[in-house]
Amino acid sequence: MKKTVVITGISGTLGSALGKVYLQQGAHVVGVTRQLDFQGEGYSELCISPQETIEDAQKLFSYDPDVVILNAGQIETEVGEGGVPLVELVESMNRVNYTWPAVVAVEAARHKRDRPLDVIAIGSIADGSPSCFGPVYHSGKIALHYYFSGVGPIVYYSSDKMIRLRLYRPGVIAGPLAWAPVNRLNEKAYKIRENRVNSAPSADHVAETIVNWIERSKQWVGTYDEPFSFKIFKYIFALFPNEFYRLQLLGWPRGSKFVKPAEK
């Protein structure tokens, strides 16, 4: 029986790459996008969906999938005066990056299964700790990670071990979106970001790694490659939250292009 894989964010760099890998493996790939006139690659069948409501979530499961990959995401491509997050982006990003996957996860639990179903949320290594240079994105990924880790066991046992809510945490992927966080950085911090972007793996390579993890690993949470600095900040955030906040207060005037020299 041919496997059916539903992938949200099929119009994105990683979504398209994931679809291509599954197509090469002979799967029927349902690509989900919000774009009404989208024409791209990486899918057998296209599903146009705003990806907002319970009804939208129900539509995903109407395809009777074996795997659902919640890959659609959004990052801060614009910031307001002083680097303050834009209200409209806060609302939109929280809905796309956290609320929508959470709704899909709960809707998955309502479906009686006679064969296993994997619901994979694409998170980020940015979920390890918040950052004043990408606060909305980081907080959304943290919420996603917490939610799947908390709700996953409930769904697993309520479905007689047929439904697994899993999470995969990639890092920077080569492409134009990798540069989005620089909109708060000064020249010095920009160079640090430049080093990470220039050494980032391709979407095709990351997609192959993710699919291999989905199909062959028994892990609930997978991580592509987490820099040592991310691990350190993650542990400080978890163990010493007040000190971590102080680090953010020190980091903002040193790395932000919005702080005047006299304020540093």
Side-chain angles (χ1 to χ4, degrees):
M1 180 179 176
K2 180 180 285 191
K3 176 173 290 189
T4 298
V5 181
V6 174
I7 303 175
T8 68
I10 198 67
S11 60
T13 303
L14 181 58
S16 175
L18 287 166
K20 290 176 183 176
V21 175
Y22 269 112
L23 286 176
Q24 291 171 359
Q25 295 185 1
H28 179 80
V29 178
V30 180
V32 186
T33 180
R34 290 185 291 271
Q35 299 182 27
L36 299 178
D37 56 351
F38 174 71
Q39 295 195 9
E41 301 178 300
Y43 58 88
S44 316
E45 180 178 355
L46 193 63
C47 171
I48 308 297
S49 169
Q51 301 173 55
E52 294 179 355
T53 66
I54 294 175
E55 289 73 24
D56 296 333
Q58 291 171 344
K59 188 173 182 179
L60 300 187
F61 296 106
S62 69
Y63 293 97
D64 193 23
D66 299 280
V67 178
V68 174
I69 303 179
L70 302 172
N71 164 69
Q74 187 176 1
I75 58 179
E76 289 178 272
T77 53
E78 300 177 73
V79 297
E81 184 177 353
V84 176
L86 297 174
V87 172
E88 56 269 28
L89 270 181
V90 171
E91 189 281 328
S92 176
M93 288 177 63
N94 283 336
R95 172 166 40 83
V96 173
N97 293 344
Y98 164 61
T99 307
W100 162 251
V103 169
V104 174
V106 173
E107 184 57 31
R110 297 176 38 148
H111 289 258
K112 297 299 181 182
R113 301 285 302 183
D114 58 4
R115 68 184 194 281
L117 167 66
D118 275 338
V119 179
I120 315 293
I122 301 299
S124 169
I125 59 172
D127 65 15
S129 60
S131 168
C132 52
F133 295 99
V136 186
Y137 180 78
H138 281 233
S139 62
K141 293 303 182 180
I142 289 173
L144 183 67
H145 192 157
Y146 280 26
Y147 186 86
F148 266 61
S149 297
V151 174
I154 303 172
V155 172
Y156 182 62
Y157 285 104
S158 68
S159 67
D160 295 326
K161 301 182 180 181
M162 283 292 176
I163 300 174
R164 296 191 298 177
L165 304 185
R166 304 167 73 194
L167 179 83
Y168 194 89
R169 307 167 65 242
V172 177
I173 298 173
L177 289 179
W179 287 100
V182 305
N183 56 24
R184 286 189 174 94
L185 303 179
N186 59 23
E187 184 176 353
K188 182 178 180 180
Y190 177 95
K191 290 180 179 178
I192 296 175
R193 183 68 184 181
E194 185 178 34
N195 290 333
R196 286 202 66 207
V197 171
N198 290 341
S199 62
S202 68
D204 291 339
H205 185 70
V206 176
E208 290 177 0
T209 302
I210 293 175
V211 172
N212 183 66
W213 177 80
I214 293 172
E215 298 299 327
R216 293 182 173 84
S217 173
K218 294 182 180 180
Q219 293 181 339
W220 294 90
V221 178
T223 303
Y224 182 83
D225 184 25
E226 192 173 19
F228 182 72
S229 60
F230 270 64
K231 294 179 181 179
I232 292 297
F233 281 124
K234 177 173 62 178
Y235 294 133
I236 295 175
F237 174 60
L239 299 175
F240 309 103
N242 185 61
E243 283 69 20
F244 183 86
Y245 200 127
R246 288 178 178 273
L247 282 176
Q248 296 295 305
L249 291 171
L250 290 172
W252 179 251
R254 285 168 172 75
S256 169
K257 66 183 180 184
F258 292 98
V259 178
K260 300 175 182 178
E263 297 176 321
K264 294 183 179 181

